[in-house]
Amino acid sequence: MYSFKNDYSEGAHAKILEALSKVSGEQNAAYGMDSHSLNAANLIRKKMGRGDADIHFLEGGTQTNLIAISAFLRPWEAAVSAEIGHINGHETGAVEATGHKILTVKADEGLLTPLLIKPILDSYTSEHTVKPKLVYISDSTEVGTVYTKALLSQLSAFCRENGLYLYLDGARLGSALTAQGNDLTLRDLAQLCDAFSIGGTKNGALLGEALVICNHALKDDFRYILKQRGAMLAKGMLLGVQFETLFEKNLYYELAEHANNMAELMRIAIRNSGFEFLSNSPTNQIFPILPDDFVDKLRQNFDFEIWEKTDPLHTAIRLVTSWATPEQEVERFIHYFYEL
Amino acid sequence: MYSFKNDYSEGAHAKILEALSKVSGEQNAAYGMDSHSLNAANLIRKKMGRGDADIHFLEGGTQTNLIAISAFLRPWEAAVSAEIGHINGHETGAVEATGHKILTVKADEGLLTPLLIKPILDSYTSEHTVKPKLVYISDSTEVGTVYTKALLSQLSAFCRENGLYLYLDGARLGSALTAQGNDLTLRDLAQLCDAFSIGGTKNGALLGEALVICNHALKDDFRYILKQRGAMLAKGMLLGVQFETLFEKNLYYELAEHANNMAELMRIAIRNSGFEFLSNSPTNQIFPILPDDFVDKLRQNFDFEIWEKTDPLHTAIRLVTSWATPEQEVERFIHYFYEL
Amino acid sequence: MYSFKNDYSEGAHAKILEALSKVSGEQNAAYGMDSHSLNAANLIRKKMGRGDADIHFLEGGTQTNLIAISAFLRPWEAAVSAEIGHINGHETGAVEATGHKILTVKADEGLLTPLLIKPILDSYTSEHTVKPKLVYISDSTEVGTVYTKALLSQLSAFCRENGLYLYLDGARLGSALTAQGNDLTLRDLAQLCDAFSIGGTKNGALLGEALVICNHALKDDFRYILKQRGAMLAKGMLLGVQFETLFEKNLYYELAEHANNMAELMRIAIRNSGFEFLSNSPTNQIFPILPDDFVDKLRQNFDFEIWEKTDPLHTAIRLVTSWATPEQEVERFIHYFYEL
Amino acid sequence: MYSFKNDYSEGAHAKILEALSKVSGEQNAAYGMDSHSLNAANLIRKKMGRGDADIHFLEGGTQTNLIAISAFLRPWEAAVSAEIGHINGHETGAVEATGHKILTVKADEGLLTPLLIKPILDSYTSEHTVKPKLVYISDSTEVGTVYTKALLSQLSAFCRENGLYLYLDGARLGSALTAQGNDLTLRDLAQLCDAFSIGGTKNGALLGEALVICNHALKDDFRYILKQRGAMLAKGMLLGVQFETLFEKNLYYELAEHANNMAELMRIAIRNSGFEFLSNSPTNQIFPILPDDFVDKLRQNFDFEIWEKTDPLHTAIRLVTSWATPEQEVERFIHYFYEL
């Protein structure tokens, strides 16, 4: 049964597998000091227009978040996140396991704003509570929405005024940066964020996230914590080669665009069939609200995630497309809606 | 310049790369619940003769050690290790970062014995000190030596009598189990250890360690800590496929045997040339003690690690062979010794 | 200026100071193994009717909570608390600093019920989220309310059915057990809770909380974690003597009752003056909602905490009485209300 | 039976108990912001000649060490300690429980020197090991010895050259500063150390350690971690009043001097009787090496700690005197030696 369950069902793009095969016989320096990792970092720096950023390659999203946050914060400092933020709800308390509390706010469409964060700063002001110090956002968010340049700029300015770090989880950054309506670029992120990640796993790589550290004060000794938390691969070239392939030309954007296009086809069909969505997602995750009996029928033919009951007769489901989603499966899916 | 620096310079064995390419187009269940991971676990269970063992696939050695140890121990319990144990000296305090102290003993050739551990049990007896609870050993050890069945059996019996868990770090287990003089099998380990790892990274895989949990009391909820510590790959099949390939037939042993054979050729030549070794290693890491000027000459032609000064005129170096070491490079290396 | 700011402004009750002076010349065993600590534990066990409970004396409330919770839980397990629970809002992330997430629910009057906890159990069901394992409640609560025997019994039954530990923070337990309408006893707590604390600091002691562990499975090695977290006093008798004095006869209850009585006088006067309260507190903390200008006037004569704005013209304040509050100060305070 | 087991068997000096009784009726600000704590800090600052030092009052020695070290270090940084250092052997892994490794060196008489620390700096140089960042010493040491001004100055200079913090555990600082041959003062410590503690528990207080932070870079937000680790007493005046009493005049020194004098009497008698000592302790802990049969006889009349077997027929014991040790008990003890 074809699955729209997530964007990590398939392996890696053919070009990545080829690149891996090609370099596999080489003897490479270990622990991320190989020429492929160094080159990949340079390629990304060039696209960001910041030659001074530090870039580290890690294995997964939870790992990247927990390491970045625990490296940046002192023991009593806390992260601020949307309630639906990935670090809050889907990482088994990984941030807390490193000793840091997460302060949450309900955020419309998963997007944080200065207005939402301000009350936390106002009420967490003494040593009897944690000290809010880092703002965690994700782009695209957990419900597929994206930040505009205007909103991210506001947020960045607010964070700087208030001595907060701005950290952006880019597990699905490719999809965000190639979404309809997006006006952000890597270049912008490198100016507006203190640190952010560029997700490979959900965009054509076997595994891998690039962590970009822009704020000079957060760079020192970072490789120590990579090793300490078990994130430093002996064969670091495995990550380097993949990001090299993704950023040598524009493969990273092309793959994300394909996923977005596939989701767009489904979105149009679902909307044309008269259904609403849980969020205004222009990316590769969409959350249609469907009658329960229709959901049941759909499940017999496709795999996807049940998101939540929206009323006694309706359910929001999550449909995720990927760099590998074939257009004919999307068409087959759409067919069901037009048959209704 | 050819490198004998470590056994993780090269990528993966061709069969592994092929297997990855073959399955890359499949849609697989995420987070290690895919058919390849399940099959790989079954293949290993069969070779161990223990259908009841839990097997998890992780990315690296430090990660495996820190997760296993922190999952097994309560906050005040400690690990006992040889001073040269990998967790003590080469993992950037990864175990301590999870809150646990490591108690160390000087161990001849890196091998722990009941006699070495007993004094620790005798002196750590009150709540004013940590409680020794887990014995950490590695096979092969950090100086290339291996446990015999007799010694491991003694150690296992001692641990059981004293309520200690026995955990074996098998980052180089392949090399140990195929070494000359080794009489241990996976089957033995599964009977004698509470948990142990089977290293893939240093034996032909791109990355990956299989963690085998034999003690039923240590199994519960283990997937929670995998996720919490950032070790649960979205595309878990990446690990599953590699271990499937390694254990479908005997590739795991064949690769290790090749590395051992290459080291043996070098060992013989070095010994024939009249030099001694720092340890009695029958595995793929050897530590010849050489005159300093000869070391300097050697370095102009080969890359390897300087281990330690043994006297003012001599230095022990570390030479490591791998599944990928070509015999002609070994011969070229040997040539230098016979030229002396 | 007289302060109704909290119940820890004054030192210790005269009988406690006397007892300390009396035993100060003795040579006592260290680290809580002295005869006074042992005797105090026995006195409490007798009052609870459970000779098998383990009792440890700690210094403060945050310390007791963080040690108990981190001793009871495995790394991926979480505590469930009311949003206003002390561990969530007023302990600087102490529980998270030990690695554990707190899951919160909005709780009317600060009281948890099975109905409030059930949805958490329903949604936290996989290894991608933490595992709810301990229910944290406080009695009296952070807004002065108390549990009834019926509610605590329900909660206890619910916890046992669902494999959850029930832990009660008794920093203000004296005030709760002597409150009007309370029908709980130490005996009940010892049957219904897995563990609970009996606060001394806020009820006449210089410092000190007794942690009672009823669930046999949670007892082992507890003194190790006391020491590890810095809670084991060299002169443990300092705590033992105080609890001995409090529980030899009924001083613990008498002191709490006095505090409650003083609050009751204020409560009646405030209510008679036509004001409402933020919560139905029968204990020594009351939260009247007053016109802002009246609050300003009051502040010129008494010290107390501003709790929260309830509407543009009104503010809830917190008034706290203690074992040491003189009736004439209460009368002076009441005078202001009748003067209105 | 009279005990020379430790210096925390007795309660508090009469003047401290009086002071506590005197202020007990006051309403004091909570959490260490009371006038007594502020005054005590000022008294200490004055004696140190450093008005800019931050001073916090904590409950115990292990607590002080674990909080200071975990506040000062980043996650991958380690403490360097003598093998017999209190943090290494007698605090149940408290420092490791906060995530930090302790690197140890064998130190003659428990005293660290630049020469002993240098090899650690030389071998811990990459991200594959922890980063040594703080040097932990104690004065007097665990075997009663003391630092000279010359040695501490060397150590301090060495630490500054190498970017290491120098932290001195002063659990028995009183005894050290009043020992024969000591040439250090509080004033020196405040110049030479980045932070140090002044122990109250072992010198006449019921409980309490003053933590002095001299290095400006280590001061920020320290009260947050006090609260987070459970060290911030609600009735902080309990600590303030005691240190006020100890440092108002010279009580702190007088009490320590008495303990030293009592030990000196015993030391002379033991030496005159022809016995040797394990260490050259001029402080209140002495470690005579005695024939086993004599130790047995002694134990029937006095309580003390067996330290270690020094040869098959001899045992080193630990004798500790305190501010409260009566001279007649010392004389009674000495009597045994002259009877030999």
Side-chain angles (χ1 to χ4, degrees):
Chain A
M1 193 174 352
Y2 194 77
S3 165
F4 290 105
K5 213 163 178 181
N6 58 51
D7 34 16
Y8 35 90
S9 298
E10 297 90 0
H13 189 266
K15 285 190 186 160
I16 285 177
L17 292 172
E18 274 163 39
L20 275 173
S21 291
K22 217 172 84 189
V23 309
S24 187
E26 296 174 2
Q27 284 196 313
N28 268 298
Y31 302 118
M33 302 309 283
D34 61 284
S35 63
H36 301 288
S37 296
L38 302 179
N39 184 37
N42 279 332
L43 291 168
I44 294 173
R45 277 192 206 96
K46 206 170 293 174
K47 289 207 192 286
M48 299 188 323
R50 278 199 72 161
D52 66 330
D54 273 8
I55 299 184
H56 304 277
F57 298 107
L58 292 89
E59 288 94 281
T62 297
Q63 188 187 66
T64 303
N65 290 335
L66 82 88
I67 288 178
I69 293 173
S70 67
F72 299 162
L73 299 184
R74 297 192 69 191
W76 51 88
E77 293 175 342
V80 179
S81 163
E83 241 179 46
I84 62 162
H86 205 260
I87 55 166
N88 189 48
H90 291 87
E91 301 187 351
T92 317
V95 169
E96 290 89 350
T98 68
H100 301 281
K101 194 178 183 73
I102 300 172
L103 302 171
T104 60
V105 289
K106 270 199 203 309
D108 207 33
E109 304 260 57
L111 298 164
L112 285 188
T113 65
L115 222 65
L116 288 170
I117 301 170
K118 188 63 171 47
I120 286 193
L121 299 191
D122 290 345
S123 62
Y124 287 77
T125 57
S126 89
E127 64 261 24
H128 298 279
T129 64
V130 290
K131 185 172 184 172
K133 185 66 188 174
L134 176 147
V135 171
Y136 166 93
I137 58 173
S138 36
D139 191 29
S140 67
T141 71
E142 293 72 13
V143 289
T145 52
V146 298
Y147 280 83
T148 59
K149 187 166 175 177
L151 176 49
L152 194 68
S153 300
Q154 275 172 44
L155 204 50
S156 176
F158 176 82
C159 286
R160 281 169 195 175
E161 277 157 31
N162 291 284
L164 301 169
Y165 303 129
L166 180 58
Y167 170 68
L168 185 149
D169 177 343
R172 288 193 176 95
L173 188 60
S175 183
L177 295 187
T178 56
Q180 277 187 29
N182 169 72
D183 58 355
L184 281 169
T185 62
L186 274 189
R187 219 166 260 269
D188 297 325
L189 298 187
Q191 294 302 324
L192 300 173
C193 299
D194 292 285
F196 66 98
S197 66
I198 304 175
T201 311
K202 290 166 181 167
N203 196 25
L206 284 167
L207 84 169
E209 315 283 303
L211 177 66
V212 182
I213 308 181
C214 306
N215 182 336
H216 190 63
L218 302 178
K219 291 175 186 171
D220 271 5
D221 291 340
F222 203 86
R223 282 174 58 80
Y224 281 86
I225 200 166
L226 284 184
K227 177 76 182 188
Q228 187 180 61
R229 298 294 185 180
M232 192 180 273
L233 284 190
K235 298 179 182 172
M237 72 86 186
L238 166 61
L239 301 170
V241 168
Q242 296 187 80
F243 277 92
E244 216 177 7
T245 310
L246 288 168
F247 284 94
E248 216 154 35
K249 297 193 184 147
N250 283 311
L251 186 59
Y252 189 74
Y253 296 103
E254 289 161 21
L255 295 181
E257 209 162 20
H258 173 78
N260 285 350
N261 289 343
M262 293 304 101
E264 175 69 3
L265 294 176
M266 293 165 85
R267 191 184 293 115
I268 291 169
I270 294 168
R271 192 169 285 144
N272 285 348
S273 305
F275 299 115
E276 307 262 303
F277 292 83
L278 203 69
S279 68
N280 290 310
S281 161
T283 59
N284 71 320
Q285 299 186 87
I286 56 176
F287 302 79
I289 299 169
L290 304 173
D292 289 351
D293 55 345
F294 185 58
V295 169
D296 287 342
K297 222 174 89 185
L298 216 49
R299 289 173 89 172
Q300 290 158 26
N301 292 277
F302 296 96
D303 204 6
F304 50 81
E305 229 176 283
I306 297 299
W307 202 251
E308 61 181 54
K309 288 290 299 174
T310 54
D311 70 44
L313 298 174
H314 292 80
T315 297
I317 66 170
R318 183 177 79 155
L319 300 169
V320 191
T321 54
S322 87
W323 60 278
T325 307
E327 192 161 345
Q328 69 261 37
E329 292 294 347
V330 170
E331 277 163 11
R332 211 163 58 80
F333 181 89
I334 289 174
H335 186 70
Y336 275 82
F337 277 83
Y338 288 136
E339 289 279 295
L340 273 184
Chain B
M1 191 172 356
Y2 193 78
S3 166
F4 291 105
K5 212 162 177 181
N6 59 51
D7 34 16
Y8 36 89
S9 297
E10 297 91 359
H13 189 267
K15 284 192 186 158
I16 284 178
L17 292 173
E18 273 162 40
L20 275 173
S21 291
K22 217 173 84 189
V23 308
S24 187
E26 294 174 3
Q27 283 198 312
N28 268 298
Y31 301 118
M33 303 309 284
D34 62 283
S35 62
H36 302 287
S37 296
L38 302 178
N39 184 37
N42 279 332
L43 291 168
I44 294 172
R45 278 192 207 97
K46 206 169 293 175
K47 288 207 194 285
M48 301 188 322
R50 278 200 71 161
D52 67 329
D54 273 8
I55 299 183
H56 304 278
F57 298 107
L58 291 89
E59 287 94 280
T62 297
Q63 188 187 66
T64 304
N65 290 336
L66 83 87
I67 289 178
I69 292 173
S70 68
F72 299 162
L73 299 183
R74 297 192 69 189
W76 52 89
E77 293 175 343
V80 178
S81 163
E83 242 180 44
I84 62 162
H86 206 261
I87 54 165
N88 188 48
H90 291 87
E91 300 187 352
T92 317
V95 168
E96 290 89 350
T98 69
H100 301 281
K101 195 178 183 74
I102 301 172
L103 303 171
T104 59
V105 289
K106 271 200 203 310
D108 207 32
E109 303 260 56
L111 299 164
L112 285 188
T113 64
L115 221 65
L116 288 170
I117 301 171
K118 188 63 172 49
I120 287 194
L121 299 190
D122 290 344
S123 63
Y124 287 78
T125 56
S126 90
E127 64 262 23
H128 297 280
T129 64
V130 291
K131 185 172 184 171
K133 185 67 187 174
L134 176 146
V135 171
Y136 167 92
I137 57 173
S138 36
D139 193 28
S140 68
T141 70
E142 293 72 13
V143 289
T145 52
V146 299
Y147 280 82
T148 59
K149 188 167 176 177
L151 176 50
L152 193 69
S153 300
Q154 276 171 45
L155 204 50
S156 175
F158 176 82
C159 286
R160 280 169 197 176
E161 276 157 32
N162 290 284
L164 302 168
Y165 303 129
L166 180 58
Y167 169 69
L168 184 149
D169 177 344
R172 290 195 175 92
L173 188 60
S175 182
L177 295 188
T178 57
Q180 277 188 30
N182 168 71
D183 57 356
L184 279 169
T185 63
L186 275 189
R187 220 165 260 271
D188 297 325
L189 298 187
Q191 294 303 323
L192 300 173
C193 300
D194 292 285
F196 65 99
S197 65
I198 303 175
T201 310
K202 290 165 180 167
N203 197 24
L206 285 168
L207 84 170
E209 314 284 304
L211 176 66
V212 182
I213 308 180
C214 307
N215 181 336
H216 191 63
L218 301 177
K219 292 175 185 171
D220 271 6
D221 291 341
F222 203 86
R223 281 174 58 80
Y224 281 86
I225 201 165
L226 284 184
K227 176 78 182 187
Q228 187 180 61
R229 298 293 185 182
M232 192 181 274
L233 284 190
K235 298 180 181 172
M237 73 85 187
L238 166 60
L239 302 169
V241 168
Q242 296 186 81
F243 278 92
E244 216 176 7
T245 310
L246 289 167
F247 284 94
E248 217 154 34
K249 297 193 184 147
N250 282 313
L251 186 59
Y252 189 74
Y253 296 102
E254 289 161 22
L255 296 181
E257 207 161 22
H258 173 77
N260 285 351
N261 289 342
M262 293 304 100
E264 175 68 3
L265 293 176
M266 294 165 85
R267 191 183 295 115
I268 291 169
I270 295 168
R271 191 169 287 144
N272 285 349
S273 305
F275 300 116
E276 307 262 302
F277 294 83
L278 203 69
S279 66
N280 289 310
S281 162
T283 61
N284 71 321
Q285 298 186 86
I286 56 176
F287 301 79
I289 299 169
L290 305 172
D292 289 351
D293 56 346
F294 185 58
V295 169
D296 287 341
K297 221 174 90 186
L298 216 48
R299 288 175 89 173
Q300 289 158 26
N301 292 277
F302 296 96
D303 204 4
F304 49 81
E305 230 175 283
I306 298 298
W307 201 251
E308 62 180 54
K309 289 288 299 173
T310 54
D311 69 46
L313 298 174
H314 292 79
T315 296
I317 67 170
R318 183 177 79 156
L319 300 169
V320 191
T321 54
S322 86
W323 60 278
T325 306
E327 192 160 348
Q328 68 261 36
E329 293 293 348
V330 170
E331 277 163 11
R332 210 162 60 79
F333 180 89
I334 289 173
H335 186 70
Y336 276 82
F337 278 81
Y338 288 137
E339 289 278 295
L340 272 183
Chain C
M1 189 173 356
Y2 193 77
S3 167
F4 291 107
K5 213 164 177 179
N6 58 51
D7 34 17
Y8 37 88
S9 298
E10 296 92 359
H13 188 266
K15 285 191 185 157
I16 284 177
L17 291 172
E18 274 163 39
L20 275 173
S21 291
K22 217 173 82 188
V23 309
S24 186
E26 296 173 1
Q27 284 196 313
N28 268 297
Y31 301 117
M33 302 310 284
D34 62 283
S35 63
H36 302 287
S37 296
L38 301 179
N39 185 35
N42 279 332
L43 291 168
I44 294 172
R45 277 192 207 95
K46 207 171 291 175
K47 289 209 193 282
M48 298 189 322
R50 279 199 71 160
D52 66 330
D54 272 9
I55 299 184
H56 305 278
F57 298 107
L58 291 88
E59 289 94 278
T62 297
Q63 189 186 66
T64 304
N65 290 336
L66 83 88
I67 288 178
I69 292 173
S70 67
F72 298 162
L73 299 184
R74 298 191 69 191
W76 52 89
E77 294 175 342
V80 179
S81 164
E83 242 180 43
I84 61 163
H86 206 261
I87 53 165
N88 189 47
H90 292 87
E91 301 186 353
T92 317
V95 169
E96 289 89 350
T98 68
H100 300 281
K101 192 178 185 76
I102 301 173
L103 302 171
T104 60
V105 289
K106 271 200 202 310
D108 208 33
E109 304 260 56
L111 298 163
L112 284 189
T113 64
L115 222 64
L116 288 169
I117 301 169
K118 188 64 169 49
I120 287 193
L121 299 190
D122 290 344
S123 62
Y124 287 77
T125 56
S126 89
E127 64 261 23
H128 297 279
T129 65
V130 290
K131 185 172 184 172
K133 184 69 187 172
L134 177 146
V135 171
Y136 167 92
I137 58 174
S138 36
D139 193 28
S140 65
T141 70
E142 292 73 12
V143 290
T145 53
V146 299
Y147 281 82
T148 59
K149 187 167 175 177
L151 176 50
L152 194 68
S153 300
Q154 276 171 43
L155 205 49
S156 176
F158 175 82
C159 286
R160 281 168 195 178
E161 278 157 31
N162 291 283
L164 302 168
Y165 303 129
L166 182 56
Y167 169 69
L168 185 149
D169 176 342
R172 290 193 175 94
L173 188 61
S175 183
L177 295 187
T178 57
Q180 276 188 30
N182 169 70
D183 58 355
L184 280 169
T185 62
L186 274 189
R187 219 165 260 270
D188 297 326
L189 297 187
Q191 294 303 323
L192 298 173
C193 300
D194 293 286
F196 65 100
S197 66
I198 303 174
T201 310
K202 290 165 180 167
N203 197 24
L206 285 168
L207 84 169
E209 315 282 306
L211 176 65
V212 181
I213 308 181
C214 306
N215 181 336
H216 190 63
L218 302 178
K219 292 175 185 171
D220 271 6
D221 290 341
F222 203 85
R223 282 174 57 82
Y224 281 86
I225 201 166
L226 284 184
K227 177 76 182 187
Q228 187 181 59
R229 299 293 186 182
M232 192 181 275
L233 284 189
K235 297 180 181 172
M237 73 84 187
L238 166 60
L239 301 170
V241 168
Q242 297 187 78
F243 277 92
E244 217 177 5
T245 311
L246 288 168
F247 283 95
E248 217 154 35
K249 295 190 187 152
N250 283 311
L251 187 58
Y252 189 75
Y253 296 103
E254 290 161 20
L255 296 181
E257 208 161 20
H258 173 78
N260 286 350
N261 289 343
M262 292 303 101
E264 175 68 2
L265 293 176
M266 294 165 86
R267 191 183 295 115
I268 291 168
I270 294 169
R271 192 169 285 146
N272 285 350
S273 305
F275 299 115
E276 307 263 303
F277 293 83
L278 202 68
S279 68
N280 290 310
S281 161
T283 60
N284 72 321
Q285 298 185 87
I286 57 176
F287 301 79
I289 298 168
L290 304 172
D292 289 350
D293 56 346
F294 185 58
V295 170
D296 286 342
K297 222 175 88 186
L298 214 50
R299 289 175 87 171
Q300 289 158 25
N301 292 277
F302 295 97
D303 204 4
F304 50 82
E305 229 175 285
I306 299 298
W307 201 249
E308 63 180 54
K309 290 288 299 175
T310 55
D311 69 46
L313 299 175
H314 292 79
T315 297
I317 66 170
R318 184 178 79 154
L319 300 169
V320 191
T321 55
S322 86
W323 61 276
T325 307
E327 191 160 349
Q328 67 262 38
E329 292 294 348
V330 170
E331 277 162 11
R332 209 163 60 80
F333 181 89
I334 289 173
H335 186 68
Y336 276 81
F337 277 82
Y338 288 136
E339 290 278 294
L340 272 184
Chain D
M1 191 173 354
Y2 193 78
S3 166
F4 291 106
K5 211 163 179 180
N6 58 51
D7 34 17
Y8 36 89
S9 298
E10 297 92 359
H13 188 266
K15 285 192 186 158
I16 284 177
L17 291 172
E18 275 163 38
L20 274 174
S21 291
K22 216 173 83 190
V23 309
S24 187
E26 296 173 2
Q27 284 197 312
N28 268 299
Y31 301 117
M33 302 309 284
D34 62 283
S35 63
H36 302 287
S37 296
L38 301 179
N39 184 37
N42 279 332
L43 292 168
I44 295 172
R45 277 192 207 95
K46 207 170 292 174
K47 290 210 193 283
M48 299 188 322
R50 278 199 71 160
D52 66 330
D54 273 8
I55 299 183
H56 304 278
F57 298 107
L58 290 89
E59 287 94 279
T62 297
Q63 189 187 66
T64 303
N65 290 336
L66 82 89
I67 288 178
I69 292 173
S70 67
F72 299 163
L73 299 184
R74 298 192 69 192
W76 52 88
E77 294 176 341
V80 178
S81 164
E83 242 180 45
I84 63 163
H86 206 261
I87 54 166
N88 189 47
H90 291 88
E91 301 186 353
T92 318
V95 169
E96 289 90 350
T98 69
H100 300 281
K101 192 178 186 76
I102 301 172
L103 302 171
T104 60
V105 290
K106 272 201 202 308
D108 207 31
E109 304 260 55
L111 298 164
L112 284 188
T113 66
L115 222 63
L116 288 169
I117 300 170
K118 188 62 171 47
I120 287 193
L121 300 190
D122 290 344
S123 62
Y124 286 76
T125 58
S126 90
E127 64 262 22
H128 297 280
T129 64
V130 290
K131 186 172 183 172
K133 184 69 188 173
L134 178 147
V135 170
Y136 166 94
I137 58 173
S138 37
D139 192 28
S140 64
T141 69
E142 293 73 13
V143 289
T145 53
V146 299
Y147 280 82
T148 59
K149 188 166 175 176
L151 175 51
L152 195 68
S153 300
Q154 277 171 44
L155 205 49
S156 175
F158 176 82
C159 286
R160 280 168 196 177
E161 277 157 31
N162 290 284
L164 301 170
Y165 303 130
L166 180 58
Y167 169 69
L168 184 148
D169 177 343
R172 289 192 175 95
L173 188 60
S175 183
L177 295 187
T178 57
Q180 277 188 31
N182 169 70
D183 57 356
L184 281 169
T185 63
L186 274 189
R187 219 166 260 271
D188 298 324
L189 298 187
Q191 294 303 323
L192 299 173
C193 300
D194 293 284
F196 66 98
S197 66
I198 304 175
T201 310
K202 290 166 180 168
N203 196 24
L206 284 168
L207 84 170
E209 313 284 305
L211 176 66
V212 181
I213 308 181
C214 307
N215 181 336
H216 190 63
L218 301 178
K219 292 174 184 171
D220 271 6
D221 291 341
F222 203 86
R223 282 174 58 81
Y224 280 86
I225 201 166
L226 284 183
K227 176 76 181 186
Q228 186 180 60
R229 299 294 185 180
M232 192 180 274
L233 284 190
K235 298 179 181 172
M237 73 84 187
L238 166 60
L239 301 169
V241 168
Q242 296 187 80
F243 278 92
E244 217 176 6
T245 311
L246 288 168
F247 284 95
E248 217 154 35
K249 295 189 185 149
N250 283 311
L251 187 59
Y252 189 75
Y253 297 102
E254 290 161 21
L255 295 181
E257 209 161 21
H258 174 78
N260 286 350
N261 290 342
M262 292 304 101
E264 176 68 3
L265 293 177
M266 294 165 85
R267 190 183 296 115
I268 292 168
I270 294 167
R271 193 169 286 146
N272 286 348
S273 305
F275 299 116
E276 307 262 302
F277 293 83
L278 202 69
S279 66
N280 289 310
S281 163
T283 62
N284 71 321
Q285 299 185 88
I286 56 176
F287 302 78
I289 298 168
L290 304 173
D292 289 350
D293 56 346
F294 185 58
V295 171
D296 287 341
K297 221 174 90 185
L298 215 50
R299 289 174 88 173
Q300 289 159 27
N301 292 277
F302 296 97
D303 204 5
F304 50 81
E305 228 174 285
I306 298 298
W307 202 249
E308 62 180 55
K309 289 288 298 174
T310 55
D311 69 45
L313 297 175
H314 292 79
T315 297
I317 67 169
R318 184 177 80 156
L319 300 169
V320 191
T321 55
S322 86
W323 60 277
T325 307
E327 192 159 348
Q328 69 261 37
E329 293 293 348
V330 170
E331 277 162 10
R332 209 163 60 79
F333 181 89
I334 288 173
H335 186 70
Y336 276 81
F337 278 82
Y338 289 135
E339 289 280 294
L340 272 184

